[in-house]
Amino acid sequence: MRGIKHLAEHLGLSIGTVSRALNAKPDVNPETRKRVLAAASALGYVPNQSGRSLRQGATNSVGFMIEAGDPSGNSDTFFMPVFDGVQQVLSRHHLDLVVLPCSAGEDPAQYLARTVARRQVDALILSATRRQDDRIALLSKARLPFIALGRSETAGNYPWIDLDFEGVATRSVARLVAAGHRRIAVALPSKDLNLGFVYLKGYRAALEKHDIAFDPSLVLRAASSEQGGYQIGHEILSMANPPTAIILHYELLAIGLYSRLHDAGLVPGNDLSIISFRESPISRFLSPRLTCFRLSLRELGVALGEALLASMPKYAEHYPQGVVQRVWPMEMVVGESDGPAAAASDYRS
Amino acid sequence: MRGIKHLAEHLGLSIGTVSRALNAKPDVNPETRKRVLAAASALGYVPNQSGRSLRQGATNSVGFMIEAGDPSGNSDTFFMPVFDGVQQVLSRHHLDLVVLPCSAGEDPAQYLARTVARRQVDALILSATRRQDDRIALLSKARLPFIALGRSETAGNYPWIDLDFEGVATRSVARLVAAGHRRIAVALPSKDLNLGFVYLKGYRAALEKHDIAFDPSLVLRAASSEQGGYQIGHEILSMANPPTAIILHYELLAIGLYSRLHDAGLVPGNDLSIISFRESPISRFLSPRLTCFRLSLRELGVALGEALLASMPKYAEHYPQGVVQRVWPMEMVVGESDGPAAAASDYRS
């Protein structure tokens, strides 16, 4: 894989001929050109990126920024299938995905500024959006095409796709109310992630619709992790007037919460009704099975890739959808972790 | 972040002066140089990568290749802290980590060949090594510095760091034998990962040491996932002469295995003794708690980064450790998922 020299040697042709064939110059015999292209493809030949990038102003790479200490905790099982979907779209245009992991200790906006200055990528996908996100202004100013996985309150007509946090919270509360629950808690992320605000908004709207007063003591904040779920369980067990149900913005919370209830001899769905967010491979193996919401992460990745290409002048003609701003739907999966309010035992005793 | 032009405007200096200051030319006033470097640092200025890379033959990026359909399943909670450790080392030298995710459908060697041809990175970290791994010859031929996270039987004097799969299997079997177990099963990955061979080797060596005959029917292969663990549980329950204990090469298997035992009314550590591989956030919240092995993924990342730099001529003087080939130790964490063989009930009935 030494590039054009290796390719020329392999074919027994001069570098000049191979170069002219690759660049579709008219003075190359069509049969030769066909042979060169076939060999280039078979050998995985790709032009020297540094030289080409200076000439064309393109790296043929798209960056996906993630955070090593991702405060959503989503790094766990979320991103890999999304990468796969994005990559599938990019490969149609001979673009490659590179993942840019921002260290836990580094400011995401500063990290991104460095990446932009290095011109490492032609376009970017952001994740873990904050309520006010400095990275959006930075990319707009740098005129680097991007899409955000997650909304933000930062102004601007930029593309985004976000999971339906609001709708999920609303539907979860509605289901619990229909089962007779009135004291419904909500678990929120401890950091400034926009998804926490959106989820809370859906929760409050549903309470209001069902004439249930908002009780700030039922808003429980914790790290989006197993440990955070354990702490939430602990907090609920120590409350004078505990909830009979809780909705979770993140699936790993359920693992710790189940564990804390189990330690106390309590059963999810019986002593405390739980509705979780995203269905994950683990949710099927929890006992009792989690009630949660399903989506295809691969399809989400495909949609992200296509919406990003729609915002890049070079590819927009193939993706005429304009500036995509889309809430991604999720389908409820009914498990056994929630039940009628009447069943809730008084675990304060 | 428009690069040197932006920096010059910000400082009220000419681009030429800023460029000379950044390149440490002698004709620049030391005070001016100091001011330029401070501003460059504050603004996150980094030279245009494409131009610099042509001149210096360096991208200042190090790639970490992972597989979206990682057959080890390790993508889950494993990589993020490792990235963070690698990044910490690279940042000492103003290098950045980019993660290169190979799609599930793509051949890893072909994917890597494309990356190498594009000269996207100065050095590479490989993961998910196969027993015979074509990527190693490819990188050696391309003279691109690399380190493998995972051993391989492919010949060559290249650096690698690998978890102690062999030692863990040996110690797990020894612990179970000491508790009276004689029929000990082993769960192995379904694919051609080298770690499966190493783990099996440690298992067989321990059996031999304790004068227990190797029984091929106790070698259970499944996907390295929750579902794979469930299937293994299913297989054990249907065996005419089942094991009383099992050792797992991957932690997610425990979740599915616990679930299958639970469905059958059986208790891990009582009806079937289980020793798992790596301690993960989830293992603490499984009930009963898993007996498994602990390591610091961040420290592993630091070691990988330093060993890689040791193999790069430009940085080797700072890291004089030569070609690192190192088995990473793991510490046993005793839980409640294994117990005396005498306790094992006859679940065939």
Side-chain angles (χ1 to χ4, degrees):
Chain A
M1 289 325 316
R2 311 287 181 74
I4 196 164
K5 195 179 156 201
H6 177 71
L7 188 60
E9 277 169 12
H10 174 83
L11 287 160
L13 295 170
S14 74
I15 292 180
T17 302
V18 171
S19 171
R20 287 197 304 279
L22 289 172
N23 289 298
K25 301 282 179 187
D27 58 347
V28 180
N29 179 307
E31 275 309 303
T32 304
R33 177 164 199 282
K34 214 167 146 186
R35 198 157 68 89
V36 169
L37 291 182
S41 168
L43 294 172
Y45 167 80
V46 183
N48 178 334
Q49 199 48 52
S50 292
R52 175 162 269 218
S53 128
L54 264 192
R55 290 193 304 274
Q56 305 190 343
T59 63
N60 292 323
S61 295
V62 165
F64 198 134
M65 180 176 164
I66 59 172
E67 296 179 27
D70 183 347
S72 76
N74 263 337
S75 51
D76 292 68
T77 54
F78 184 82
F79 282 113
M80 283 295 192
V82 178
F83 294 160
D84 224 30
V86 174
Q87 185 78 285
Q88 186 194 311
V89 173
L90 297 184
S91 68
R92 294 175 199 155
H93 307 281
H94 306 289
L95 295 168
D96 260 317
L97 184 69
V98 300
V99 180
L100 306 169
C102 174
S103 283
E106 188 163 13
D107 174 64
Q110 250 177 25
Y111 174 87
L112 186 63
R114 204 165 70 231
T115 300
V116 171
R118 279 194 178 176
R119 291 166 217 186
Q120 266 183 324
V121 293
D122 298 343
L124 265 158
I125 301 173
L126 300 180
S127 62
T129 46
R130 308 307 200 277
R131 195 175 187 185
Q132 293 294 338
D133 204 312
D134 294 343
R135 298 175 298 173
I136 289 164
L138 183 94
L139 291 174
S140 302
K141 207 174 149 198
R143 295 174 194 276
L144 199 69
F146 72 97
I147 184 167
L149 171 54
R151 275 160 286 183
S152 157
E153 291 182 10
T154 298
N157 186 37
Y158 52 86
W160 54 260
I161 297 180
D162 199 1
L163 305 190
D164 188 15
F165 285 95
E166 191 169 349
V168 162
T170 302
R171 287 153 71 195
S172 298
V173 170
R175 178 175 164 86
L176 292 166
V177 170
H181 294 276
R182 304 285 296 175
R183 283 191 68 71
I184 302 165
V186 59
L188 290 180
S190 49
K191 297 209 187 167
D192 185 36
L193 285 181
N194 192 64
L195 66 87
F197 294 94
V198 178
Y199 196 68
L200 181 61
K201 194 174 155 199
Y203 166 80
R204 293 193 67 156
L207 290 183
E208 198 175 342
K209 191 181 162 195
H210 297 286
D211 293 320
I212 299 173
F214 173 70
D215 179 350
S217 77
L218 294 179
V219 177
L220 307 176
R221 290 189 185 272
S224 303
S225 64
E226 297 89 345
Q227 186 59 44
Y230 194 88
Q231 282 163 1
I232 282 175
H234 203 69
E235 197 173 334
I236 288 176
L237 291 173
S238 68
M239 285 169 79
N241 187 12
T244 60
I246 185 166
I247 66 171
L248 309 177
H249 76 279
Y250 185 56
E251 59 272 13
L252 285 186
L253 292 168
I255 294 169
L257 179 54
Y258 267 51
S259 175
R260 185 65 190 89
L261 293 179
H262 182 269
D263 288 354
L266 300 174
V267 179
N270 190 19
D271 299 300
L272 179 71
S273 282
I274 300 169
I275 300 185
S276 183
F277 187 67
R278 187 174 67 85
E279 183 191 43
S280 75
I282 290 170
S283 42
R284 283 188 296 154
F285 295 104
L286 283 175
S287 177
R289 274 186 305 114
L290 264 185
T291 297
C292 51
F293 294 82
R294 182 177 295 166
L295 81 162
S296 163
L297 294 173
R298 202 160 193 291
E299 281 173 27
L300 174 67
V302 168
L304 271 173
E306 293 186 343
L308 179 63
L309 292 179
S311 74
M312 299 172 73
K314 194 172 166 187
Y315 306 100
E317 61 169 314
H318 303 293
Y319 303 96
Q321 54 254 68
V323 176
V324 173
Q325 298 184 331
R326 182 173 174 194
V327 173
W328 195 266
M330 297 176 74
E331 177 202 346
M332 186 183 275
V333 181
V334 173
E336 302 137 3
S337 65
D338 66 315
S345 65
D346 188 351
Y347 45 80
R348 278 166 292 170
S349 58
Chain B
M1 290 329 316
R2 311 289 181 73
I4 196 163
K5 196 179 156 200
H6 178 71
L7 187 60
E9 276 168 15
H10 174 83
L11 287 160
L13 294 170
S14 74
I15 291 180
T17 302
V18 171
S19 171
R20 287 196 304 277
L22 289 171
N23 289 297
K25 300 282 178 185
D27 60 347
V28 181
N29 178 307
E31 276 309 304
T32 306
R33 176 158 203 271
K34 214 166 148 186
R35 199 157 68 88
V36 169
L37 291 182
S41 167
L43 294 173
Y45 167 80
V46 183
N48 177 335
Q49 200 48 52
S50 292
R52 175 162 267 218
S53 130
L54 264 192
R55 289 193 305 274
Q56 305 190 342
T59 63
N60 292 322
S61 296
V62 166
F64 197 134
M65 181 176 163
I66 59 172
E67 297 178 26
D70 183 347
S72 76
N74 264 337
S75 50
D76 293 66
T77 55
F78 184 83
F79 282 112
M80 284 294 192
V82 178
F83 295 159
D84 224 29
V86 173
Q87 186 78 285
Q88 185 193 310
V89 173
L90 297 184
S91 68
R92 298 175 198 155
H93 307 281
H94 306 289
L95 296 167
D96 261 317
L97 183 70
V98 300
V99 179
L100 307 169
C102 174
S103 283
E106 189 163 13
D107 174 65
Q110 251 178 25
Y111 174 86
L112 185 64
R114 205 166 67 231
T115 299
V116 171
R118 281 192 176 176
R119 292 166 215 187
Q120 267 183 323
V121 293
D122 298 344
L124 265 160
I125 300 173
L126 301 181
S127 62
T129 46
R130 308 306 200 279
R131 194 174 188 186
Q132 293 294 339
D133 203 312
D134 295 341
R135 298 175 301 173
I136 289 165
L138 183 93
L139 291 175
S140 303
K141 207 175 151 197
R143 295 172 193 277
L144 199 69
F146 72 96
I147 184 168
L149 170 54
R151 273 161 287 184
S152 158
E153 290 181 10
T154 298
N157 185 36
Y158 52 87
W160 54 259
I161 298 180
D162 199 1
L163 305 190
D164 187 15
F165 284 94
E166 191 169 349
V168 161
T170 302
R171 287 152 71 196
S172 298
V173 169
R175 178 175 164 85
L176 291 167
V177 169
H181 293 276
R182 303 285 295 175
R183 283 192 69 71
I184 301 166
V186 58
L188 290 180
S190 47
K191 295 209 188 167
D192 184 36
L193 284 181
N194 192 63
L195 67 86
F197 294 94
V198 178
Y199 196 68
L200 180 62
K201 193 174 155 198
Y203 166 81
R204 293 192 68 154
L207 290 184
E208 198 174 343
K209 192 180 163 195
H210 297 286
D211 292 320
I212 300 173
F214 173 70
D215 178 350
S217 76
L218 295 179
V219 176
L220 307 176
R221 292 189 184 271
S224 303
S225 64
E226 298 89 343
Q227 186 60 43
Y230 193 88
Q231 283 164 358
I232 282 175
H234 202 69
E235 198 172 333
I236 288 176
L237 291 173
S238 68
M239 285 169 78
N241 186 12
T244 60
I246 185 166
I247 66 173
L248 309 177
H249 76 279
Y250 185 55
E251 60 271 14
L252 284 186
L253 292 168
I255 295 169
L257 179 53
Y258 267 51
S259 174
R260 185 65 190 88
L261 293 179
H262 182 270
D263 287 355
L266 301 173
V267 178
N270 191 19
D271 299 300
L272 180 71
S273 282
I274 300 169
I275 300 186
S276 184
F277 187 67
R278 186 173 68 84
E279 184 191 41
S280 76
I282 289 170
S283 42
R284 283 188 297 155
F285 296 103
L286 283 176
S287 177
R289 273 187 306 114
L290 263 186
T291 296
C292 51
F293 294 82
R294 182 176 294 166
L295 82 162
S296 163
L297 294 174
R298 202 161 192 292
E299 282 173 27
L300 174 66
V302 168
L304 271 174
E306 292 185 343
L308 179 63
L309 292 179
S311 74
M312 298 171 73
K314 193 172 167 188
Y315 306 101
E317 61 170 314
H318 303 291
Y319 303 95
Q321 54 256 68
V323 176
V324 173
Q325 299 184 329
R326 181 172 175 197
V327 173
W328 195 265
M330 297 176 72
E331 176 202 347
M332 187 184 274
V333 182
V334 173
E336 302 136 3
S337 65
D338 66 316
S345 64
D346 188 351
Y347 45 79
R348 278 166 292 169
S349 57

